[in-house]
């Protein structure tokens, strides 16, 4: 939608008799927007161009003396969207990918890069399976589009990997960003933690919130939930976050003494609207190794320390050299 404000003026006491705007896009002209009256006439008109491209808009006025004058302006029409399709896309389009629906980018990271370079606030992603991506500030990434981007398609699925930060979607130091319409698979890691979505405001949370909407976090390729140590479907640190209709299924625990979290929050402000958050069972710790000849106590073995932080001793080996109170 574009606004135009032509100013029309006659001379020698003539009045405005006829006004026309030719929009240059094949749609019908607009006639008579300035009534027969003394000049000047200032009118604001709105027009929606059905396609992207360059169009010449021409204004013509005829006065009561039959005198005619015209003025024109060229309008370049673009969307504020970058398009991504795993099926049809290519990151090496002539002139750059993503601006036209017919020439989408292939990867979400490339789409976000193009959106940032061209100052476009939205990235639309067709149904398909995509690699992990890193969000940028002031951008919305929205999935589940049909291939023609004219409706809803199947799932837009993102898979994390087991190298570096394993999360499928990473928002690090990002503000005023939104992710919606994705299913995020969580990898299995051999050591360390794993997440489907990792949000770390790095102290920038006050600069603007991050929003997740209609996102499923924590589904792996085989329908499980990934696996790791102290793992969470969604991990949020130092951020301001809105969660709307989010489903978070925790990864499975992989090491002894490991907990799991559907949603884990550290030093953040989080608002939740609807959704479903589920943590699977953690794993117990390993048995304690006792010195040779020391039997397991029937009851808790006191460490022998005192509240004034004096080191204690213990006949059962439970607290030799420990500081503090009578802990078991």
């Amino acid at each position: 939608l574009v606004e135009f404000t032509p100013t029309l003026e006659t001379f020698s006491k003539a009045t405005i008799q006829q006004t026309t705007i030719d929009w240059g896009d094949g749609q019908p002209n607009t006639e008579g927007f300035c009534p027969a009256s003394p000049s000047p006439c200032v009118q604001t008109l709105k027009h929606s161009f059905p396609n992207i491209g360059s169009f010449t808009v021409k204004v013509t006025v005829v006065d009561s003396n039959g005198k005619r004058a015209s003025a024109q302006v060229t309008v370049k029409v673009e969307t504020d969207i970058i398009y991504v399709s795993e099926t049809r896309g290519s990151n090496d389009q002539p002139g750059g990918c993503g601006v036209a629906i017919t020439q989408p980018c292939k990867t979400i990271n490339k789409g976000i890069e193009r959106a940032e370079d061209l100052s476009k606030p939205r990235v639309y992603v067709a149904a398909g399976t995509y690699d992990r991506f890193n969000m940028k500030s002031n951008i919305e990434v929205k999935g589940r589009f049909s291939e023609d981007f004219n409706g809803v398609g199947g799932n837009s699925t993102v898979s994390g990997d087991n190298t570096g930060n394993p999360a499928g979607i990473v928002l690090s130091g990002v503000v005023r960003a939104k992710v919606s319409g994705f299913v995020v698979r969580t990898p299995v890691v051999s050591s360390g933690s794993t997440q489907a979505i990792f949000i770390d405001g790095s102290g920038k949370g006050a600069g603007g919130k991050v929003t997740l909407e209609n996102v499923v976090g924590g589904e792996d390729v085989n329908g499980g939930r990934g696996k790791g140590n102290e793992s969470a479907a969604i991990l949020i640190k130092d951020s301001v976050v809105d969660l709307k209709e989010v489903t978070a299924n925790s990864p499975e625990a992989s090491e002894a003494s490991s907990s799991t979290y559907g949603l884990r929050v550290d030093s953040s402000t989080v608002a939740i609207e609807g959704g479903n958050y589920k943590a699977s069972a953690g794993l117990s710790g390993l048995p304690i190794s006792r010195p040779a000849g020391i039997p397991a106590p029937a009851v808790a073995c006191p460490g022998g320390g005192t509240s004034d932080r004096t080191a204690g001793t213990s006949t059962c080996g439970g607290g030799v050299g420990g500081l503090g109170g009578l802990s078991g």
Side-chain angles (χ1 to χ4, degrees):
L1 186 67
V2 184
E3 288 190 356
F4 299 85
T5 308
T7 300
L8 311 181
E9 187 171 4
T10 63
F11 299 91
S12 302
K13 299 182 180 180
T15 58
I16 295 172
Q17 294 295 303
Q18 181 183 349
T19 51
T20 303
I21 289 189
D22 179 352
W23 299 107
D25 61 359
Q27 298 192 73
N29 296 344
T30 297
E31 307 278 354
F33 58 88
C34 274
S37 63
S39 67
C41 172
V42 181
Q43 289 280 6
T44 298
L45 301 100
K46 297 180 180 180
H47 183 74
S48 292
F49 292 88
N51 298 296
I52 60 176
S54 293
F55 305 93
T56 300
V57 178
K58 184 177 181 180
V59 180
T60 301
V61 59
V62 181
D63 71 9
S64 55
N65 292 325
K67 300 296 184 181
R68 176 187 300 267
S70 297
Q72 64 187 39
V73 62
T74 299
V75 181
K76 185 177 182 182
V77 179
E78 297 180 337
T79 69
D80 61 359
I81 300 166
I82 293 294
Y83 299 96
V84 176
S85 169
E86 184 267 338
T87 302
R88 297 186 298 110
S90 170
N91 291 342
D92 300 316
Q93 301 280 359
C97 65
V99 174
I101 289 177
T102 54
Q103 295 182 315
C105 299
K106 187 172 183 64
T107 65
I108 300 174
N109 275 325
K110 184 64 176 182
I112 293 172
E113 176 188 317
R114 291 281 288 161
E116 189 174 39
D117 290 344
L118 299 174
S119 299
K120 294 184 181 292
R122 295 184 288 174
V123 177
Y124 282 2
V125 181
T129 301
Y130 297 88
D131 292 335
R132 58 178 295 179
F133 64 88
N134 294 276
M135 282 293 293
K136 300 290 186 180
S137 295
N138 306 307
I139 291 176
E140 175 185 0
V141 177
K142 186 174 183 179
R144 292 201 66 197
F145 280 96
S146 56
E147 280 296 331
D148 60 2
F149 296 94
N150 196 33
V152 177
N155 285 333
S156 297
T157 302
V158 179
S159 297
D161 59 51
N162 56 11
T163 60
N165 187 330
I169 301 177
V170 178
L171 300 94
S172 180
V174 170
V175 295
R176 295 180 297 278
K178 182 177 180 179
V179 177
S180 62
F182 285 91
V183 173
V184 188
R185 292 171 174 165
T186 311
V188 175
V189 296
S190 57
S191 64
S193 183
T194 187
Q195 305 91 35
I197 301 168
F198 177 56
I199 303 173
D200 183 359
S202 299
K204 295 184 179 180
K209 69 179 64 174
V210 167
T211 301
L212 301 182
E213 185 171 348
N214 292 316
V215 171
V216 177
E219 176 186 306
D220 72 15
V221 179
N222 299 314
R225 298 188 302 276
K227 185 177 289 188
N229 183 37
E230 297 295 316
S231 299
I234 302 173
L235 175 59
I236 301 174
K237 299 174 62 178
D238 299 320
S239 301
V240 178
V241 180
D242 278 357
L243 302 176
K244 299 180 180 180
E245 300 301 331
V246 170
T247 297
N249 298 316
S250 73
E252 299 176 18
S254 62
E255 298 179 17
S257 304
S258 177
S259 299
T260 68
Y261 306 84
L263 171 64
R264 189 172 189 178
V265 178
D266 179 13
S267 303
S268 300
T269 300
V270 180
I272 296 176
E273 180 181 325
N276 190 359
Y277 299 83
K278 184 177 180 180
S280 58
L283 292 180
S284 301
L286 296 173
I288 294 175
S289 173
R290 297 183 180 280
I294 302 296
V299 296
C301 178
T306 62
S307 58
D308 62 1
R309 294 181 60 82
T310 300
T313 59
S314 173
T315 57
C316 65
V320 175
L323 301 178
L326 300 175
S327 58

